[in-house]
Amino acid sequence: NIKFAIIGPENFLKDGVADIFKEYNIPCIGPTKYLAQLETSKYFCRDFLEKHSDLSSHSPNFKVVANLDDLEIAANSFKQEIVLKKDGLYRGKGVYVEGVDFTRENINKLYFRDNEPVIIEEKLYGDEYSLMSLVDTNGNIAHFPPIKDYKRLYDDNRGCNTGGMGCIIDNNNTLPFLN
């Protein structure tokens, strides 16, 4: 007798729970397993943006590497600082920023122990925010207000990446740096 579902943690979306609800014609907030990859796979997301470049003119340059030697070669092709990202769901803990304990030993231990590909991309600068939207099967879109996420452990963006330390929005449901 389920009338409606809202799927929370991304691992359920990754596992295709929304597809099951769809199969039983139960309305659901949450993307299908295929579309959930925009959030659950950094490689899928970057590849999607590259194929649909009209969707994002500011997507970072990236490469996919399989081992430390390939990473060192790829890193030399970037003209600015880089970040490393594990491909799957790591709740913000799978990102490594150049200059923060960026040693060969640490990178090998953190990134290449599971024999999974790693995304290397240029570091982007500026304010980060999230804009969540609901889209129905008719293509109608309803946007939630944008929110600014705070990911660093300490003030002034110092400290390790936590994946999220809360978020803010102005009282007029916008952010001061958006126009």
Side-chain angles (χ1 to χ4, degrees):
N1 292 326
I2 299 172
K3 304 291 184 212
F4 183 82
I6 300 173
I7 302 173
E10 293 102 339
N11 56 320
F12 294 116
L13 297 170
K14 181 182 180 189
D15 292 341
V17 171
D19 299 66
I20 296 168
F21 284 117
K22 185 177 180 180
E23 184 180 320
Y24 287 94
N25 294 316
I26 297 170
C28 173
I29 293 180
T32 61
K33 182 176 184 174
Y34 176 75
L35 292 175
Q37 292 179 94
L38 288 169
E39 178 66 24
T40 64
S41 170
K42 291 164 190 69
Y43 173 73
F44 178 89
C45 183
R46 299 308 182 272
D47 187 57
F48 182 90
L49 289 172
E50 193 172 79
K51 287 177 182 170
H52 304 281
S53 59
D54 56 314
L55 296 177
S56 175
S57 60
H58 301 292
S59 186
N61 293 323
F62 77 96
K63 295 184 181 197
V64 180
V65 296
N67 58 53
L68 193 55
D69 292 333
D70 290 348
L71 172 66
E72 288 177 335
I73 293 167
N76 289 327
S77 69
F78 285 86
K79 294 182 173 111
Q80 63 188 63
E81 283 186 301
I82 58 170
V83 294
L84 302 179
K85 298 180 177 184
K86 291 185 175 185
D87 186 49
L89 290 172
Y90 290 93
R91 296 188 168 113
K93 310 287 190 298
V95 177
Y96 209 62
V97 180
E98 184 176 1
V100 182
D101 206 15
F102 210 72
T103 66
R104 183 179 173 90
E105 181 182 338
N106 284 343
I107 291 170
N108 200 39
K109 182 172 61 175
L110 292 169
Y111 283 90
F112 296 108
R113 67 173 179 234
D114 301 326
N115 293 323
E116 294 178 1
V118 172
I119 310 298
I120 176 176
E121 65 185 24
E122 65 183 340
K123 180 180 177 184
L124 297 179
Y125 297 89
D127 290 301
E128 179 182 348
Y129 67 95
S130 295
L131 177 64
M132 305 284 190
S133 304
L134 295 176
V135 182
D136 69 15
T137 55
N138 297 318
N140 298 309
I141 301 172
H143 298 293
F144 288 98
I147 56 172
K148 182 172 175 58
D149 192 9
Y150 286 88
K151 297 183 177 210
R152 299 284 171 194
L153 186 59
Y154 304 116
D155 290 341
D156 300 319
N157 278 325
R158 295 177 296 117
C160 63
N161 189 352
T162 67
M165 295 290 291
C167 58
I168 64 160
I169 186 169
D170 284 356
N171 59 4
N172 63 355
N173 284 340
T174 188
L175 294 169
F177 54 84
L178 296 177
N179 53 26

